[in-house]
Structures are given as C-alpha cells and as structure tokens.
Amino acid sequence: MAQAVRLVSTPESMPKIEHFECVEVDMPEPADGEALVETLYLSLDPYMRSQIAGRHMSGSVLPGDILRGEAVSRVIKSRNPALREGDVIAAHSGWRSHALVTPEGARPLGFSGLPESYGLGVLGMPGLTAYAGLLLRGEPKPGDNLLVSSAAGCVGATVGQIGRIKGCRTIGIAGGAEKCGWLKNTARFDEAIDYKNENLREAIDRHCPATPPYGGIDIYYDNIGGDMLQAAMERLAFGARVVLCGLMDQYNSKVVPTGPNPALIIRARATVRGVVVYDHEDLRSEMVEHISSWIRSGDMVVKEDITIGLEQAGAAFVKLLSGATYGKVLVKLT
Ligand SMILES: NC(=O)c1ccc[n+]([C@@H]2O[C@H](COP(=O)([O-])OP(=O)(O)OC[C@H]3O[C@@H](n4cnc5c(N)ncnc54)[C@H](OP(=O)(O)O)[C@@H]3O)[C@@H](O)[C@H]2O)c1
C-alpha cells in the first residue's frame, strides 16, 4: 500500500493537526508513458495555506482532497524510456509516498554534489523566488541597506545572503533569539532584529539610520505584510525599492487587512514591486548555477527543518504556520 495525506476540513483560522489525515491508498501502477516514483522529500510551503483557504492563484484544496505540493522523488518503475529507474527528479506529486509522473511533469534537479533536498529549497522554488525577487525587483547595489522580513525562512535567508554577496548591508527581521543568533553568526547578516522581543520601529531606526526627510531603508523585501510592512514603509530612503513577496500576516485570517498609506511611497519616490516566482522560470538554471557555487564556496549557508514520516506532515505544516520553524521545511519519507 501507499500513503497520502488528505485535508479533513477547511480550517477557519490556524490549522490544527486534526485538519489533516494520513491514509493508506492503493499503490499506483504506471501505464505506458508513465513512471512510478517514491517520494524522498516533500516540500511544505506557506502558499499551501492559501490553497486550503481557496484563494491561491495555483488552485484550491477542498476537504477530502489529497494536499498538493512539490516533492523530490526517485523513479522505482518506469514505462517511459525518458525516466529511468533510479533517476531522482522533482515533481508536483502532492503529499503522497508514491505517485505517477510523466517526463513533462518531472523536472531534473539540475545540480549534483549537494543534498537532493536543496532542490525544494535554496535551489528550488523558494531559491528562485529570492534570486529573481531581489535581483530583478530589488536591484541591489553595493552599500544599500537591505531589510528582509521572515529572514530566517528559506526565501528570506536566501535574499539576505544574495544581498550580502552583492555588497548590501543586510538587516534581517526574525522572531526569537535563536533565529536572530543564526542570522548574524551563521548566515552572516550584518544585523538581526528580534521583532518578538524588541521594538521593531526603534530597531529599524538604529540599524538603518535615516537621512531626513527620508528614512534609511534602500530595499525592503517583504514576506509578511501587515504592520511590519507599514513600519518599513514609514522608513524608506529616497528612491527605495519595496519587493512584495509574501503575506504571512494574513494567511490564517479571513479578514484582509488595510494596507500602508500610498503617501509613504510617493514621499520617498519609492518603487514597490510584486514578485511571483512562476514568471521567472527562465532564470532557474542561472539561479542553480550561481547559488550552488555560493554554497560550495561557503558564501551561502543553508538551513533545513526536516520532519521524518508522511504521517507527521500535517503536524509539520501546523508548526510551519505557527512560526516555530526556520529554514526550508521538509518531510523526509522513510
Ligand atoms: N511571491 C512568490 O512567488 C512567492 C514564492 C515563494 C514564497 N513566497 C512567500 O514568501 C514568504 C516566505 O516563504 P518561505 O517559504 O521562506 O517561508 P518562511 O519564511 O519559513 O515562513 C514561515 C515564517 O513566517 C514568519 N512569520 C511572520 N509573521 C508570521 C505570522 N503572523 N504567522 C506565522 N508566521 C509568521 C515566521 O518566522 P518569524 O517569526 O521568524 O518571522 C515563520 O517561521 C511566504 O510568505 C511565502 O508565501 C512567495
């Protein structure tokens, strides 16, 4: 038998473990042109919360559905010469122990000599988001003050480290002393702000000194929205770039909050730009080449938060949404 995880019911606010159910399903049998893969790692990502809420651009997950998501998997039986037994690929196969794939739905990892799990994180979708979002939208220049929220997450940590490699002063915002210690001591951010234990506005002012009448943030890479976005907008330098990437502040809420005052953007002559990773597939091989070389040279470190066993996937997703994880959140199947 194979395993899969279903959504039991749609959560109204923060999901609980009871919203997810790991069930036994028939082992799929490949038809001509297909291959059977076993999941090695399943990626857990914040966007899945929006799919469950029925408001994500990639589609919805309804009660009874098997959850969607990308996995790194190994081919164990093939009826297609383009997929050989033993090949390791990435595919949107969902929260399943086994799945059927075709070559069109399978993506080669595109790197070797680094952990396969990186294909779902720093060398996968979150890495591409960080790479394209910062380089194309943030336009980093040496000496820029780059402020990043959710900086200990996969997107944020990758943004900050690319920013440092491009010569920016990097200031990361994260919740708790452990994450902030990791940002400064391991990921080599210049400064870290623990928004759960210090005054966010005072800390930004200290680390990004203003040049009145403007603030001191040249680039704000926003993974959160809400009051954190407001605090950053109040402190934009002349000509600042704001990259809008994520909405952690509102994923578990039914109410869409009001946004920052546009006058703050106008006053600073700032540029606010949204990033959607799906628009940047053309950059994937360049991203993998650059980021994997930065990992190998020691310029970039990688943090992963790995839970063992598909039956623990629901609990791991609840932990991700509660803010208790940092680094790329993955489930390793046994
Ligand atoms: N635009 C795109 O194409 C695209 C693509 C990929 C990801 N994203 C977005 O980028 C953001 C970061 O993604 P990621 O995969 O690297 O995830 P992540 O940063 O690991 O996200 C989880 C973290 O969000 C932080 N957080 C802040 N406020 C929160 C709140 N109110 N509730 C829960 N958590 C909160 C927590 O860390 P702290 O407490 O330390 O802040 C938590 O650990 C997400 O918003 C994601 O949806 C966008």
Side-chain angles (χ1 to χ4, degrees), residues 8-251:
V8 175
S9 58
T10 303
E12 289 286 311
S13 53
M14 179 67 84
K16 298 191 175 68
I17 295 172
E18 307 83 83
H19 290 110
F20 306 92
E21 176 188 33
C22 188
V23 294
E24 298 218 317
V25 292
D26 289 339
M27 183 62 72
E29 189 55 40
D32 271 349
E34 293 178 334
L36 174 66
V37 295
E38 65 176 3
T39 304
L40 303 177
Y41 291 96
L42 166 67
S43 180
L44 296 184
D45 296 274
Y47 75 85
M48 294 167 175
R49 179 65 186 90
S50 296
Q51 289 182 330
I52 293 170
R55 57 181 186 220
H56 196 263
M57 62 180 94
S58 64
S60 302
V61 173
L62 300 171
D65 289 350
I66 292 172
L67 283 115
R68 299 162 61 160
E70 197 176 19
V72 162
S73 305
R74 182 186 292 117
V75 178
I76 56 173
K77 194 174 186 182
S78 182
R79 296 186 62 185
N80 189 314
L83 291 167
R84 288 163 309 164
E85 282 175 29
D87 283 353
V88 174
I89 52 99
H92 288 272
S93 47
W95 295 27
R96 298 171 189 272
S97 62
H98 297 81
L100 298 175
V101 299
T102 59
E104 297 72 43
R107 166 173 75 75
L109 295 189
F111 62 89
S112 58
L114 290 168
E116 289 156 344
S117 57
Y118 288 10
L120 298 172
V122 66
L123 297 175
M125 184 277 286
L128 183 57
T129 307
Y131 188 87
L134 180 65
L135 298 183
L136 299 187
R137 303 284 191 250
E139 300 173 6
K141 296 189 299 299
D144 278 347
N145 283 333
L146 165 62
L147 181 72
V148 188
S149 53
S150 200
C154 188
V155 172
T158 310
V159 166
Q161 294 185 80
I162 297 175
R164 189 234 309 131
I165 290 163
K166 297 293 174 187
C168 299
R169 261 191 83 244
T170 54
I171 302 102
I173 304 173
E178 186 188 340
K179 288 185 184 182
C180 286
W182 182 82
L183 284 179
K184 281 198 74 168
N185 302 328
T186 305
R188 290 188 280 149
F189 279 63
D190 292 291
E191 302 293 346
I193 298 174
D194 178 359
Y195 73 98
K196 290 189 175 162
N197 293 299
E198 56 187 318
N199 181 297
L200 177 66
R201 286 170 167 79
E202 283 173 17
I204 299 176
D205 288 341
R206 198 164 60 249
H207 296 312
C208 305
T211 313
Y214 304 107
I217 302 169
D218 297 298
I219 306 171
Y220 175 50
Y221 196 104
D222 183 49
N223 288 315
I224 306 291
D227 187 58
M228 210 172 272
L229 175 58
Q230 174 68 29
M233 300 296 267
E234 291 162 0
R235 288 163 175 76
L236 297 178
F238 189 91
R241 282 83 69 204
V242 176
V243 184
L244 298 182
C245 177
L247 302 165
M248 287 310 299
D249 185 59
Q250 58 173 273
Y251 287 147

